[in-house]
Amino acid sequence: MIQIDFRTKINWHRRYRSPQGDKSEHEILRIFESDRGRIVNSPAIRRLQQKTQVFPLERNAAVRTRLTHSLEVQQVGRYIAKEILSRLKEQRLLEPYGLGELTGPFESIVEMACLMHDIGNPPFGHFGEAAINDWFRQRLFPSDAASQPLSSDRCAIPALRLREGEEGLNDLRRKVRQDLCHFEGNAQGIRLVHSLMRMNLTWAQVGCILKYTRPAWWQGEPPATHNYLMKKPGYYFSEESYIDRLRQELSLTPHGRFPLTWIMEAADDISYCVADLEDAVEKRIFSVEELYQHLYDAWGTHKKGSLFSQVVENAWEKSRSNTLSRSTEDQFFMYLRVNTLNKLVPYAAERFIDNMAQIYQGEFNHALLEDDSSYSQLLELYKNVAVRHVFSHPEVEQLELQGYRVISGLLDIYSPLLQLSVEAFSELVEKERVRRLPIESRLFHKLSPRHRLAYVEAVSKFDRQQPDWPVLEFYYRCRLIQDYISGMTDLYAWDEYRKLMAVE
């Protein structure tokens, strides 16, 4: 029987300048309040207000941005956390589980992870991710490095091509090529918090945003025991040693997840499903009447007392009873949201408690709201209607294609920096302006000082005389470009692309 003690998981120490000695309940709460301040006041959170959820470059303020979405997720996460703690208290399990004095930090960690969960997303969301990964794949060809050195290796970077008799170095080249072609918002979030913004958050707070446990350089299928937890990259090679230390501090298994991350994930799933449909009605992609019909048709067999009737039909009937037709939309979504939360939040809490042993160990290989229940069916209903009628809408698809072109175009524009030799780029970094490199010098000046500093600090740790130096230097140079472009807001990326392409 596993011993569950959350005092070993809710680790309030930090990577740097960590509080020392034993702490009282009040002092521990203050440490997590400090985390809240660092997160809420960070520029990464502020930038979310100009990154949109579904509709890039949207001028209608009623349509969600990543920031308003994250605030909604934060509220749902708090609700689930409180529900779990309330049930554990009723069952008199708070003290046995080591949560007697940690209910405040438990809630705070979940809330702040929810607020931060999208900070690593690039402009234009998943299409931005796809553009970055496609661009690098077309130059690094990681599949050509999967086996032995090939004479036909298409990698455009000589330092990253596999060579006969250099097995140790070839392993590093494989790792780097794979890693750079698997940009992912969740992994970038870890990089932002630790390497770029140096927020020095508590181990528990960072652990809660490590949503996926697969390293970005992973090749082949993940083990069946962890195929859900490892379905996407969760961190990069650049943060490998930090994640190793994080696992140690939080007593995580090699591919295990931090227990409270399941709550953050459930909160996100509940929030975005309803939100995407509401935004589509706000954008006039379909009317609220058409939406109800889409939901009704997609549910399948209708029975009296089903979850659909308790949630969707109930919201529809209540909104219809309102005599002011203009408020029907608002009323419908208010009731739909309330009904959905009132059903799914208790179920998520129940699933968390029922699977506590596996979740505590970090080994529960499912989402809380992913099973064969009607609750999971309701979430799938919302997602399927959004996929069929929102994401495939011509306006949405056109915006996504434009976003893909903008990110690809910006990478093309900054590619001269990646074409420089190690020596030339090192000279540019040191002098900041090199007369024989007029284009590269101007591009380098446009990069954020924070990102340039992260590059300088990373490469300063390596011996330039070692054979792995050109590989590692190029890796961090690519990270520098990915950091800069992925950190842009939708609007800034759009404006920057137009300015540099001279299409004003």
Side-chain angles (χ1 to χ4, degrees), residues 54-60 63 124 127 279-286 389-403:
V54 179
F55 303 97
L57 309 169
E58 178 54 51
R59 296 183 185 277
N60 180 352
V63 172
F124 311 106
F127 266 71
D279 284 348
V281 171
E282 180 68 38
K283 286 281 293 176
R284 300 287 175 258
I285 283 178
F286 43 55
H389 301 285
V390 182
F391 302 131
S392 60
H393 190 272
E395 182 188 346
V396 176
E397 290 189 339
Q398 181 180 326
L399 286 166
E400 288 173 336
L401 289 170
Q402 286 175 334

Side-chain angles (χ1 to χ4, degrees), residues 393-441:
H393 190 272
E395 182 188 346
V396 176
E397 290 189 339
Q398 181 180 326
L399 286 166
E400 288 173 336
L401 289 170
Q402 286 175 334
Y404 185 96
R405 182 70 198 100
V406 166
I407 299 300
S408 302
L410 285 169
L411 286 164
D412 287 340
I413 289 164
Y414 282 89
S415 64
L417 292 174
L418 298 178
Q419 290 160 10
L420 290 176
S421 67
V422 182
E423 296 75 21
F425 190 73
S426 298
E427 183 185 357
L428 181 57
V429 171
E430 186 183 337
K431 296 179 179 175
E432 296 201 358
R433 186 181 294 277
V434 177
R435 287 192 68 173
R436 72 176 188 282
L437 303 171
I439 302 299
E440 293 85 347
S441 294

Side-chain angles (χ1 to χ4, degrees), residues 138-338:
Q138 288 158 16
R139 285 150 184 83
L140 302 185
F141 292 94
S143 59
D144 286 4
S147 57
Q148 295 306 307
L150 299 173
S151 56
S152 57
D153 190 339
R154 292 167 290 174
C155 179
I157 311 303
L160 297 191
R161 288 186 204 133
L162 272 53
R163 295 176 195 166
E164 294 288 351
E166 297 184 358
E167 268 323 295
L169 210 48
N170 285 345
D171 286 344
L172 178 63
R173 289 170 177 139
R174 283 189 191 96
K175 195 171 186 176
V176 160
R177 283 165 69 172
Q178 188 78 1
D179 193 86
L180 288 170
C181 298
H182 287 84
F183 178 93
E184 215 280 333
N186 291 290
Q188 188 67 18
I190 295 285
R191 179 161 170 76
L192 261 171
V193 163
H194 175 61
S195 305
L196 301 181
M197 297 178 60
R198 299 164 155 227
M199 292 167 76
N200 197 26
L201 300 174
T202 58
W203 293 112
Q205 189 63 73
V206 179
C208 202
I209 61 166
L210 184 64
K211 187 176 179 183
Y212 298 109
T213 60
R214 186 178 107 203
W217 65 87
W218 184 277
Q219 293 186 33
E221 290 299 310
T225 51
H226 294 78
N227 58 1
Y228 176 75
L229 297 177
M230 297 176 70
K231 73 175 185 179
K232 289 183 182 179
Y235 60 96
Y236 302 134
F237 169 53
S238 49
E239 281 67 54
E240 182 180 15
S241 61
Y242 176 68
I243 295 298
D244 287 345
R245 174 77 185 275
L246 180 85
R247 291 193 181 291
Q248 187 183 325
E249 294 289 343
L250 298 175
S251 306
L252 299 178
T253 56
H255 303 304
R257 183 195 257 185
F258 183 68
L260 307 194
T261 308
W262 274 276
I263 305 174
M264 176 268 283
E265 179 180 51
D268 187 28
D269 285 345
I270 293 169
S271 299
Y272 83 78
C273 288
V274 177
D276 290 350
L277 299 176
E278 186 175 9
D279 284 348
V281 171
E282 180 68 38
K283 286 281 293 176
R284 300 287 175 258
I285 283 178
F286 43 55
S287 67
V288 73
E289 290 80 11
E290 289 170 325
L291 170 60
Y292 176 75
Q293 196 58 52
H294 292 324
L295 292 168
Y296 188 90
D297 294 343
W299 178 258
T301 308
H302 289 270
K303 293 177 184 172
K304 192 173 181 181
S306 69
L307 192 62
F308 183 89
S309 68
Q310 293 176 55
V311 174
V312 184
E313 281 182 18
N314 177 274
W316 180 250
E317 286 160 9
K318 282 182 177 175
S319 66
R320 294 288 103 182
S321 64
N322 193 307
T323 52
L324 299 171
S325 61
R326 178 62 192 96
S327 70
T328 300
E329 279 177 23
D330 297 337
Q331 292 286 305
F332 174 68
F333 282 109
M334 182 187 76
Y335 289 124
L336 184 66
R337 201 161 38 245
V338 168

